[in-house]
Amino acid sequence: MAPAKATNAVRLLLGSTALWLSQLGAETVSASKAVTAHLAAKWPETPLLLEASEFMAEESNEKFWQFLETVQELAIYKQTESDYSYYNLILKKAGQFLDNLHINLLKFAFSIRAYSPAIQMFQQIAADEPPPDGCNAFVVIHKKHTCKINEIKKLLKKATSRTRPYLFKGDHKFPTNKENLPVVILYAEMGTRAFSAFHKVLSEKAQNGEILYVLRHYIQKPSSRKMYLSGYGVELAIKSTEYKALDDTQVKTVTNTTVEDETEANEVQGFLFGKLKS
């Protein structure tokens, strides 16, 4: 009896194990059917603060520079705050110049990263300069580059004798009444200390009518995260190569019977042809 009981116990154990393995396999197969697709851009993730500034620039040039004044060193908080807290801080700063409707539009723009391509455009322009080595921010004064604030005055002396730089439609020009002035283009990341130091000097010179101050976004150390885009449809066309043998005669018979039943059940102008036929 003992060997028989042991045999039955082993069979029961093997049976339960096989059932568990079959369920596990079914779960694995069902899980593998789910397909998740992400659409990533070729450029890295861009800072939300810069995207918010582009939203402001689209509203007006005046709002852009007003917003800029309030967030000169805001990026410092990014190192200590969580991403969500920093996101809310940007919205709070933007709320000083926008109503609730435009704040909701800004949130939507953040969700689809609508202004990320504009930031990348400026980043590409800066790469074509190219930027000096080891500089968090730098200025270009009529083809001359420097990342030292004390050299700006020196480069301005003979700036008019050099070629005037080409300005793009999306460039951010500091408000001034004069246009025929030496052009100083600042490449910096808004919200950083390096930007704040340059901005203080250049804005004073622009207000005094000495220069035409232009700001272009520049990120010295781009994020290592990928730039995932939303708001785009992705279609995956998957074709099954499995072929199953079916008996066509049975399919045709069932189809014909169904058609006949539907025809008999139909009523045409008060006549039930199905009953008349029977």
Side-chain angles (χ1 to χ4, degrees):
M1 292 295 293
K5 290 183 179 180
T7 303
N8 292 334
V10 171
R11 288 178 179 176
L12 181 62
L13 179 61
L14 291 175
S16 60
T17 304
L19 177 61
W20 178 77
L21 289 175
S22 63
Q23 291 178 348
L24 180 63
E27 291 178 358
T28 305
V29 171
S30 60
S32 64
K33 291 182 180 179
V35 178
T36 304
H38 297 283
L39 184 62
K42 291 184 178 180
W43 61 87
E45 186 180 39
T46 52
L48 289 179
L49 180 60
L50 304 189
E51 294 182 28
S53 71
E54 287 300 312
F55 180 89
M56 289 292 184
E58 197 171 78
E59 291 296 312
S60 69
N61 188 51
E62 182 182 0
K63 284 187 178 181
F64 171 84
W65 291 99
Q66 289 176 347
F67 176 72
L68 182 146
E69 290 292 338
T70 63
V71 298
Q72 287 192 41
E73 296 187 9
L74 194 69
I76 300 173
Y77 295 97
K78 191 175 182 180
Q79 301 174 359
T80 57
E81 301 288 339
S82 64
D83 291 343
Y84 183 71
S85 299
Y86 187 63
Y87 165 83
N88 287 325
L89 182 60
I90 294 174
L91 292 177
K92 183 179 179 180
K93 293 292 184 180
Q96 300 178 25
F97 312 102
L98 301 173
D99 55 22
N100 291 333
L101 175 61
H102 286 83
I103 286 293
N104 290 331
L105 289 175
L106 177 58
K107 291 179 180 179
F108 178 70
F110 280 161
S111 66
I112 63 174
R113 311 311 294 265
Y115 295 95
S116 181
I119 307 302
Q120 179 60 22
M121 178 195 70
F122 284 114
Q123 188 75 358
Q124 188 60 46
I125 294 174
D128 293 339
E129 281 294 344
D133 295 334
C135 293
N136 295 327
F138 66 98
V139 294
V140 179
I141 305 175
H142 291 232
K143 302 296 183 179
K144 295 292 184 179
H145 303 64
T146 183
C147 54
K148 297 180 180 179
I149 298 177
N150 55 11
E151 292 184 358
I152 294 177
K153 186 176 180 180
K154 177 183 176 181
L155 296 178
L156 283 173
K157 288 182 179 180
K158 297 181 179 180
T160 54
S161 62
R162 299 190 295 270
T163 305
R164 186 181 178 88
Y166 178 81
L167 298 182
F168 299 95
K169 182 180 180 180
D171 282 330
H172 305 297
K173 301 178 184 177
F174 191 87
T176 180
N177 296 326
K178 300 179 181 179
E179 291 288 336
N180 192 20
L181 296 170
V183 180
V184 180
I185 304 176
L186 172 61
Y187 291 89
E189 182 180 352
M190 183 186 303
T192 61
R193 290 177 178 174
F195 162 78
S196 181
F198 272 102
H199 174 71
K200 183 178 180 181
V201 174
L202 296 179
S203 60
E204 289 179 359
K205 289 184 177 295
Q207 290 173 356
N208 296 332
E210 299 178 23
I211 63 171
L212 178 61
Y213 171 26
V214 179
L215 173 64
R216 291 175 180 171
H217 301 296
Y218 166 65
I219 308 167
Q220 185 200 19
K221 296 180 180 179
S223 173
S224 58
R225 300 178 182 177
K226 291 183 178 181
M227 182 72 245
Y228 290 108
L229 304 176
S230 60
Y232 298 86
V234 178
E235 179 182 356
L236 298 178
I238 302 176
K239 181 180 179 181
S240 176
T241 57
E242 295 181 2
Y243 296 93
K244 298 180 179 179
L246 297 176
D247 189 351
D248 294 342
T249 57
Q250 294 181 2
V251 175
K252 290 180 180 179
T253 303
V254 173
T255 304
N256 294 334
T257 304
T258 305
V259 172
E260 290 178 359
D261 293 341
E262 290 179 354
T263 304
E264 293 177 358
N266 291 337
E267 178 182 348
V268 181
Q269 296 183 352
F271 294 96
L272 300 175
F273 289 97
K275 291 186 177 181
L276 292 173
K277 184 179 179 180
S278 61

